[in-house]
Amino acid sequence: MSSVGIDQISFYTSNYYLDLRTLARAQNTDPEKYYVGIGQEKMGMPAHDEDIVTMAASAAAPLFKSEDSKHISTLLFATETGIDQSKAAGVYVHRLLGLHENCRVVELKQACYSATAAVQMACALVARQPEQTVLVIASDIAKYDLDSPGEATQGCGAVAMLIRANPRIITIDPQVGNYTEDVMDFWRPNYRKTAIVDGKYSTKIYLKSLKRAWEHFRDASSLAFTDLSFFCYHLPFSRMAQKAHRHLSKVNKSPLEVEGIEAQIEGSLLYNKLIGNSYTASLFIGLTSLLENSKNNLSGQRIGFFSYGSGCVAEFFSGTVVDGYEKWLFKELHMAMLDSRSELAYEQYLELYHAPDPRNGESMEITADTKGKFRLANISDHKREYIAL
Ligand code: CAA
């Protein structure tokens, strides 16, 4: 059977960010707590006219510059920032991207994990019908209560991937390790805009799930820990991945020194430090960061992935970077997008944080603000109207 995996990958984040030094100043906290303690520098804040739909469409648009979006057979949309209890956010994206009417669309949810489920399901669909191309999009806005410990770990972003046979970026191995446990470490009831989180507990469950998912992977796969050259972790904040990788390296008695262990993940952390947590998207934005910023050519290198969704479901899986992958990346586009962002003053951050959210069917025109290609133009009669610019 031919290999299956990620053929193209592109991400998007908002054009606004808050520097965590600004947040620290407003909170009377030492900025080093954020820059060093949690390893984050900036957090992306969506513009008034951005949400998971516009970010998703902006992440996916570059994938269709050189090919026809009509070939997509399925769009799998992963998010935990749902905008509707019934309609899949991907259906709006289907129109914005001009996908074919015969393309199926569905939304997946399990906290930050569901993009991994989407990738695995997409691989299974393509394995069954190798001529198909499946579009997987993960898009999220991480929002916590003001003045809560989670506030500094907010962020936003979306990632879009084409899943195909004989992919040009990375093949995904079929063997995976899973771990599921019914725990309350982080959740967001339907009536809340912000997540409820038991922060310290969540970091412990993350590490426990890593060990259990790894043990299951080790039983399922013929690969040893030393067969994996680089690692990408779910990234609520970059220090979490550093702790996780040290933990896994210790469990596996890695022969590497501390610097060698750090080098296996450092490339994957760069974009996350600048955009913050993007929940479902973070693992794959981490992969993009590794591919686009690694000092080494990664062709033929095997990467280990750890996906974690609070609540909780975790998965360890692996993939091998394809020869010539670097020709198919969107590095310049991503760099230009990050460079063109505008810094927010603390008051502007609060203004975006408290963006109005009509709930009673009233009409609201939304000021044009995003530099992205798509925007939420108005909400009226409980309907959201999206436009392409
Ligand atoms: N200089 C340098 N370091 C400093 C410092 C300073 N002045 N002040 C504090 N630090 C260090 C601390 O020593 C600590 O380091 P260690 O973890 O190595 O001990 C680190 O900075 C954080 O400090 P605190 O533990 O005091 O931070 P906190 O309790 O205020 O918040 C947190 C930490 C609980 C993770 C919080 O950010 C949070 O609740 N985040 C949201 C939940 C989350 O992201 N959980 C991750 C696992 S769950 C998941 O992954 C799913 C998801 O996406 C949410």
Side-chain angles (χ1 to χ4, degrees), residues 30-34 36-38 80 111-112 144 148-153 185-186 197-200 202-204 206 234-237 239-240 243 277 279 282 308-310:
D30 181 355
E32 294 294 290
K33 173 172 176 181
Y34 299 146
V36 178
I38 61 167
E80 55 178 302
C112 307
Y144 295 90
S148 70
E151 186 180 4
T153 66
D185 60 329
F186 167 108
V197 60
D198 188 342
K200 299 276 186 220
S202 72
T203 60
K204 289 199 176 81
Y206 181 117
H234 166 56
L235 292 170
F237 49 93
R239 277 275 288 159
M240 186 73 236
K243 284 187 183 184
N277 196 353
Y279 291 160
S282 85
Y308 177 74
S310 288

Side-chain angles (χ1 to χ4, degrees), residues 60 64 68-76 90-105 135 137 162:
F64 301 113
D68 191 353
S69 63
K70 296 272 185 273
H71 294 146
I72 304 299
S73 57
T74 298
L75 163 55
L76 300 177
V91 177
Y92 298 107
V93 177
H94 178 279
R95 178 178 60 78
L96 292 173
L97 295 178
L99 303 187
H100 197 277
E101 66 177 19
N102 297 134
C103 167
R104 70 156 80 82
V105 180
L135 172 60
I137 305 183
L162 295 182

Side-chain angles (χ1 to χ4, degrees), residues 105-116:
V105 180
V106 71
E107 187 167 308
L108 292 89
K109 178 175 71 184
Q110 176 21 58
C112 307
Y113 165 71
S114 65
T116 297

Side-chain angles (χ1 to χ4, degrees), residues 217-239:
F217 176 81
R218 204 186 43 201
D219 293 344
S221 166
S222 57
L223 296 173
F225 186 68
T226 45
D227 291 325
L228 303 165
S229 315
F230 295 92
F231 292 78
C232 293
Y233 287 83
H234 166 56
L235 292 170
F237 49 93
S238 70
R239 277 275 288 159

